[in-house]
Amino acid sequence: MKKLLFFGFLILGAASMQAQKAEFGLKGGLNYGATGDYESAQEGAEDFASNFEEGGKNKTGFHAGVFAQFEVLGIFLRPELLYTELNTEYSTFDYKVQKIDAPVLLGLNVLGPLNIKAGPSFQYVLNNEIENSPFSIGDVEDEISVGYQLGAGLDLGRLEFDVRYEGAFSENTAFGLNEMASENFTVDSRPSQWILSLSYSL
C-alpha cells in the first residue's frame, strides 16, 4: 500500500509542474463485471471449484474516490485513487472483493467535449472472501497487481461522464481453503469489468 501511495504522489508532483491546466475532484460510480476466474483444483475440491469454472454472474458493484487531471495542448494525464467493491454471484455462493484502484490514464480531447483515455490500473486488494460456503479464500499472491483501462468521457464543465473497460495484464492468484485450512483450489482475483463514472471538479 505504501508503494502505491508513493507512486501516486510521484506522478502528481511531476505532472503538476508541467501542466498548463490542472484539475482536482471527486468521482464515483458503478462497476459491472465478474471476478474469480478458475485456475486449478486439488483432490476433494473439484465439485466446489467447478462453480468457478462454469463462470460467475456479472453483478453491479461501486467505486468512489478522488482524481487529478493535468492537461497540456489537449493531451492530459489523469491519476485516480479509488475504493472499489465487487461481488460476483456463483450458483451456491458469492465471491466478494474489496480493493484500492489507482489507474493512471493518458487521454486526448478529440471532438468538442469528447475525450478518449487509456493506461495502466494498479490494484491493491484489501479483502476477498467467499460468502455462504464452508470454503474460504486466503490472501492474493501479489499485494499489488497491474491491469489496464480504456474508455471515453464527456466533459461538461465541472461534470464528466465516463465509461471504461478494465482487463488484466496478468493473473493474481487467490488460494481457496476448506474448513480444515488446507489449500484446495486457486482462482484469479483480477476482475474483467465495465466502469461507469461521474466526476466533479472542485
Side-chain angles (χ1 to χ4, degrees), residues 1-11:
M1 185 63 178
K2 291 180 180 178
K3 295 178 183 177
L4 195 61
L5 291 174
F6 174 77
F7 182 77
F9 287 128
L10 188 64
I11 290 174

Side-chain angles (χ1 to χ4, degrees), residues 31-37 56-59 86-88 90 95 97 99 123 147-149 164-170 188-195:
N31 301 59
Y32 182 75
T35 188
D37 287 344
K57 179 181 178 181
N58 289 344
K59 295 191 69 176
L86 299 170
N87 187 24
T88 306
Y90 291 87
Y95 179 41
V97 176
K99 61 196 182 84
Q123 171 183 280
Y148 63 88
Q149 291 186 4
R164 303 177 193 170
Y165 174 77
E166 180 180 88
F169 288 123
S170 61
D188 179 17
S189 67
R190 283 289 319 194
S192 175
Q193 61 179 337
W194 289 94
I195 303 169

Side-chain angles (χ1 to χ4, degrees), residues 90-104:
Y90 291 87
S91 58
T92 60
F93 61 91
D94 287 349
Y95 179 41
K96 180 179 289 187
V97 176
Q98 299 164 315
K99 61 196 182 84
I100 299 295
D101 287 320
V104 182

